[in-house]
Amino acid sequence: MKVIETRIDPRSDGFATNSAAYHELVDVLRERQQVVLDGGPGRERAIERHLDRGKIMVRDRIDCVIDSGTPFLELSTLSGFGQYDDGAPGAGIVTGIGLVHGVPYMFIANDATVKGGSLLPTSIKKHVRAQDIALENGIGVIYLVDSGGAFLPLQDEVFPDKDHFGGSFYRQARMSAAGLPQLSVVLGGCTAGGAYVPALSDEVIMVDGIGRIYLGGPPIVKAALGEIVEPDDLGGAVLHTRTSGVSDELAHTEREAYGRLRELCLATNQRRVGEGPGWLDVIDPEPPRYPAEEIYGIISADDRIPFDSTEIIARLVDASRFSPFKPEWGESIVCGFARIWGHLVGVIANQGIIFNEEALKTTHFIELCEQRRVPLLFLQNTSGYMVGKESEARGIAKDGAKMVYAVANATVPKFTVLIGGAYGAGNYGMCGRGFNPRFLFSWPNSRCATMAANTAQTVLVDIRLAGMKGAQTTEEEIAALRKEVADQYETQSDPYYGTSRIWDDGLIDPVHTRDALGLCLALSARQDAPAPGPGLVYRM
């Protein structure tokens, strides 16, 4: 593979302008992430009560379990942002992937300082998404349980539907049946539905004095049966470890529980990172030739001005080496092979609108990767498929459908990063959330919607005016309507709006993208090769 020779001049005025603008975006990202890590605004009293009970903060709990000095890939840190009156930082739950004795596990840990660990609609969506990632990547789950169960005031949004709280139990049972360890440490209340998280686990550790499991807590028992009973007598660690058998181990402190949990992990017989069957082509990694921080200066401060995705690729892939596919045809999509942390990947990156040629080129490339069993990385920055009389006459709907079909049916691991615009059906053809990439991350400059705000205000206003059938409308009313539509689309396409609702697996700094993708690829390398598709290459 040839080295990408950069055409970027870091000393230019344009680079400096772009870099300064992007540093502001990253500063906002870090500030908002830090608010979540600190526990959220106005939560000092809740945190103080938590610590006064001798409990450890949720992220410190995870640090007690994972191997010392190893990374933890936290997912959806900003979930819940701007929702629930900003009273649920991280949606009250921490999820992510860490190593225990070199084996990757998904962690699902309740934050009891947020509404007592009760599960809001976004909390459950985050919980279920973490389980889906674990199942697809063949890794076990460690539950650090400190939860009051479902948030009852919103019971219609957390209880009855397919991917509500019951869906998490279904997934837990299915993963256990598939041989993926389900291990729980009970560190607080597990009430009602929350009791089933440890009850469905393969092995359970309860911490004496703080861990409790019961289908109905003391208030419910009093109301239903007239019994007055102490919490520990109803569902404490001693009762469930020595009498009921719901718990398998009793620990006297949290730290003792985490030491015992690490012992249990030694006997789970799971593949470590690097011990997979080797179906993915992996060699020793090399760092890119160009600093990742230069990405800040490459991305245009004005999102109407395009940027060269090849320059982004040069700062993500090993040794900045890239073997392009059809480089002189369909140039608004870049396709080619590269390595990330030693793993061979097929890269597909937008450089604007998707025309007929680009759709056919991408379809051909995806089929090559499927035939050769090469994972796919999609770097999204597109306003969508081309419209207009000429494109329709050339069959853009048909050619775009071929691309969508290829993405949907590719069985190799797929990963997506929103590096710019992700609009319309282009989002689908470039493996957006609806097409189930194994992981999807967003950058702070990204936007995701059916169309850009400036397009939406023209389209929707024209439609509304046409529906009025000649009714008198003043210029001021039309301007107000345009502003209303533009404001709606600006708000709903903002990356923080999307990450709050778990439309991605995390809003990340571009500088960290290569490392995040390296971990994701390493998870795929542990697994047996997925069943191949048809293995045919159609020259579309």
Side-chain angles (χ1 to χ4, degrees), residues 334-453:
V334 173
C335 298
F337 296 98
R339 292 184 182 273
I340 296 178
W341 280 99
H343 298 270
L344 183 65
V345 293
V347 182
I348 301 171
N350 297 117
Q351 299 204 114
I353 297 172
I354 304 173
F355 296 88
N356 297 70
E357 291 85 357
E358 282 75 7
L360 296 176
K361 167 181 171 177
T362 304
T363 300
H364 188 171
F365 183 71
I366 291 170
E367 290 170 339
L368 278 178
C369 291
E370 174 71 6
Q371 182 190 60
R372 299 173 184 177
R373 320 309 293 145
V374 177
L376 288 160
L377 169 62
F378 296 83
L379 302 177
Q380 280 206 31
N381 181 26
T382 182
S383 55
Y385 290 95
M386 187 60 186
V387 297
K389 182 177 179 180
E390 180 181 350
S391 292
E392 298 293 358
R394 295 182 60 201
I396 187 62
K398 170 175 58 68
D399 293 341
K402 292 175 182 177
M403 179 175 166
V404 167
Y405 193 95
V407 173
N409 286 286
T411 62
V412 295
K414 294 170 285 189
F415 310 93
T416 302
V417 183
L418 307 189
I419 67 171
Y423 294 112
N427 173 261
Y428 300 158
M430 288 293 293
C431 201
R433 189 62 135 181
F435 281 68
N436 293 323
R438 292 203 176 199
F439 291 88
L440 187 151
F441 300 108
S442 300
W443 285 359
N445 63 297
S446 65
R447 292 290 185 273
C448 183
T450 53
M451 61 188 76

Side-chain angles (χ1 to χ4, degrees), residues 318-333:
D318 289 9
S320 302
R321 294 184 180 277
F322 184 66
S323 177
F325 174 76
K326 288 185 179 292
E328 298 182 44
W329 192 70
E331 295 180 32
S332 73
I333 285 188

Side-chain angles (χ1 to χ4, degrees), residues 227-296:
E227 292 182 5
I228 298 176
V229 60
E230 291 298 316
D232 278 338
D233 294 335
L234 181 63
V238 171
L239 172 82
H240 282 312
T241 306
R242 296 176 180 169
T243 303
S244 74
V246 172
S247 170
D248 305 301
E249 304 273 351
L250 185 148
H252 297 286
T253 66
E254 280 201 46
R255 295 189 183 278
E256 180 185 336
Y258 302 136
R260 183 61 184 134
L261 174 62
R262 286 181 56 84
E263 288 183 39
L264 296 183
C265 290
L266 282 171
T268 56
N269 196 29
Q270 302 296 296
R271 288 173 177 159
R272 301 185 181 194
V273 172
E275 288 186 349
W279 72 277
L280 293 182
D281 183 5
V282 185
I283 63 174
D284 291 336
E286 299 178 69
R289 287 184 60 181
Y290 312 109
E293 290 81 1
E294 289 184 352
I295 292 174
Y296 299 162

Side-chain angles (χ1 to χ4, degrees), residues 81-99:
F81 176 83
Q83 300 186 73
Y84 314 114
D85 297 321
D86 280 321
I93 187 171
V94 177
T95 64
I97 298 166
L99 299 179

Side-chain angles (χ1 to χ4, degrees), residues 171-192:
R171 286 165 171 81
Q172 192 171 343
R174 297 289 293 176
M175 284 191 287
S176 181
L180 301 178
Q182 307 291 294
L183 307 174
S184 283
V185 181
V186 178
L187 303 157
C190 298
T191 307

